[in-house]
Amino acid sequence: MAPPNNQKRVKGTQVYRPFVYGTIAKPFNDDTNPKPPGTPADHTHSWTVFVKGVDDGDITYWCKKVQFKLHESIPNPLRMIDDIPPGGTFEVHETGWGEFEITIKLYYVPESLEKPQTLYHHLRLHPYGETEEEKEKMKQRGEVPAVVYEEQLFNEPYENFYEILTNPAPAGKGGKTKVLKGGMVSSVGERTALIPLTNRPGSEFSLETENLLLVDIKRAATEVMRMIEETKREIVEKEAELATYKGAIQT
Ligand code: SLL
């Protein structure tokens, strides 16, 4: 049962926690993704929709359960996932033939005293992107990811929940480090807003990505400044030209 709402909010404080959500779809093929027996003949893809921590970090201390609302053509379209271990993934696996909008409802731990929040995500089955190169890459990989990085912001959380959010993970609740392939260390279960330093396959949300984006943004900003200067020069030139014509008319 939720605790009585007689608590105070921690004024002037915001706590954010990163997480990722989205879908990964794979076309069926006999070699790498064969159709499971019993799959309807018109189904062309297998897909997964998920909500999880960045780099497998734990989110279960603030996110208690997740409801995925699928397309009505899918049997039993409301799926509640409410029992995952710390550091686990809230996910649903399905097969189908069409793309649609998935409604993802996050339910917070009772101590938060927060109402559930809804996200919308478009299930992608077919390679997409702004360039042919991006689409080609997905074809080669044999899977179509549509994954979003998000930050859950708790504005002035209740005191009790603030403690939960900021306390170190309790021992035995997944609050230890895990060594990943390639020797990288992931702090599974650690209650932190930190994102990993570097990328690894399947987890591209990191400081490395952030820094690359910053470099791109700075380059674009410099280019925009250059274009503004060029336009200003053109305006000065045109105004001078206009003045000459006006002078010619008057004489
Ligand atoms: C479309 N508006 O026309 C969408 C509808 C529906 C997807 C997509 C069925 C799965 C099943 C399925 O893939 N539905 O029969 O279990 O593209």
Side-chain angles (χ1 to χ4, degrees), residues 7-16 111-114 153-163 165-166:
Q7 294 181 48
K8 286 203 280 296
R9 286 189 179 270
V10 184
K11 289 282 171 211
T13 301
Q14 291 187 325
V15 177
Y16 75 91
E111 294 85 349
S112 71
L113 300 170
E114 298 289 350
L153 191 66
F154 295 106
N155 189 42
E156 301 194 336
Y158 284 101
E159 283 167 346
N160 200 0
F161 184 42
Y162 179 79
E163 287 298 312
L165 283 171
T166 54

Side-chain angles (χ1 to χ4, degrees), residues 40 42-45 47 71-75 79 94-101 123 125-126:
D42 58 348
H43 287 197
T44 51
H45 291 72
W47 53 263
H71 194 265
E72 279 88 350
S73 59
I74 299 171
R79 310 285 176 91
E94 263 304 336
T95 64
W97 49 262
E99 300 188 347
F100 60 92
E101 193 93 323
L123 164 66
L125 297 185
H126 308 290

Side-chain angles (χ1 to χ4, degrees), residues 1-2 10 25 55 80 111 116 130 152 182 197 201 219 248:
M1 202 181 72
V10 184
D55 212 20
M80 181 67 93
E111 294 85 349
E130 279 170 18
Q152 173 68 55
L197 282 177
R219 198 182 298 134

Side-chain angles (χ1 to χ4, degrees), residues 130-186:
E130 279 170 18
T131 61
E132 280 309 310
E133 200 188 331
E134 280 174 275
K135 291 185 210 170
E136 196 47 43
K137 224 191 226 168
M138 288 187 200
K139 270 184 215 155
Q140 305 264 316
R141 256 173 79 171
E143 60 176 33
V144 176
V147 181
V148 180
Y149 170 90
E150 193 41 287
E151 286 171 1
Q152 173 68 55
L153 191 66
F154 295 106
N155 189 42
E156 301 194 336
Y158 284 101
E159 283 167 346
N160 200 0
F161 184 42
Y162 179 79
E163 287 298 312
I164 293 173
L165 283 171
T166 54
N167 269 358
K173 274 230 160 188
K176 39 180 156 23
T177 52
K178 180 170 98 175
V179 180
L180 303 164
K181 267 186 225 148
M184 284 212 29
V185 170
S186 160

